[in-house]
Amino acid sequence: MSLGVTLACMLALASSPAARADGDPASDYLYGQAAYFPYQPAITAADQGKIGKALADGRSHGYQLKVAIIASPVDLGSVPEMFGKPQAYADFLDREILAFHRGDLLVVMPGGFGVAGPNAAKAKKALQGAQTASAAPGPLGKAAIDGIIRVAKAAGHPIKTQSSSGTGPDKSGGGGAWIAIVIAAGAVLAVAGALGARRRSGTGEEAA
């Protein structure tokens, strides 16, 4: 990647909702992403891929659903007190993203789900009996997939059940992808800076 392309990426990140990261992170990431994935513990790549495919399948049939997977209070930013209260946070997050999303919202937390949006009443009934046992990546990821399938079906948009094989993470997904981009761009800029300093040093020695 050239230095010019890297700088362009950095400028795009600086102007993106993810880069602003004020308040709760999910409200920023969901501006341009279908799902927010927690920082730690991270959802497995296979489950991220299944979640991305499930959401894409729903969109292809006209169903707009965004998902926020919250594994710890860290994922709630300025509202950590909402951890363990998935429905309260779903209502809060729904208001945060209302300006750019009028579809359904699913929040997945250890121990439960929260839903908001036009089909919230149907979704709540569909999620009865579904549980998220812990904050471990496996249970949370699988619970999110199950929740997406239940909520979409309740809204009248059944989607394909994802196979256990899975693939890589959804490229339109959440937090981890942005962090990787920032780290990579920073590394390239650091290398470019070091090379520039070396050239300047060499020029100075020749002049002397």
Side-chain angles (χ1 to χ4, degrees), residues 12-133:
L13 285 170
S15 62
S16 71
R20 292 198 297 270
D22 55 347
D24 58 314
S27 65
D28 291 322
Y29 283 113
L30 292 180
Y31 178 84
Q33 314 300 322
Y36 170 82
F37 298 116
Y39 294 107
Q40 291 293 332
I43 301 300
T44 64
D47 282 345
Q48 286 192 40
K50 294 173 193 174
I51 290 167
K53 286 183 178 180
L55 293 172
D57 186 72
R59 288 195 300 274
S60 70
H61 292 88
Y63 182 49
Q64 298 298 321
L65 173 66
K66 288 185 181 288
V67 178
I69 305 174
I70 308 298
S72 73
V74 172
D75 295 306
L76 294 173
S78 64
V79 288
E81 67 275 8
M82 288 191 177
F83 187 69
K85 303 174 182 177
Q87 187 55 55
Y89 180 61
D91 293 334
F92 172 86
L93 181 58
D94 184 55
R95 292 192 295 270
E96 292 281 289
I97 66 175
L98 189 61
F100 57 84
H101 178 67
R102 299 300 177 94
D104 288 336
L105 169 68
L106 172 66
V107 168
V108 185
M109 283 191 193
F113 297 91
V115 289
N119 298 288
K122 294 178 181 178
K124 288 177 182 177
K125 290 182 180 179
L127 289 168
Q128 289 178 354
Q131 296 294 325
T132 54

Side-chain angles (χ1 to χ4, degrees), residues 144-175:
I145 296 166
D146 181 43
I148 292 168
I149 292 171
R150 288 172 179 248
V151 168
K153 183 177 180 180
H157 298 275
I159 59 178
K160 298 176 182 177
T161 302
Q162 302 300 302
S163 66
S164 58
S165 58
T167 57
D170 174 27
K171 295 184 184 301
S172 65

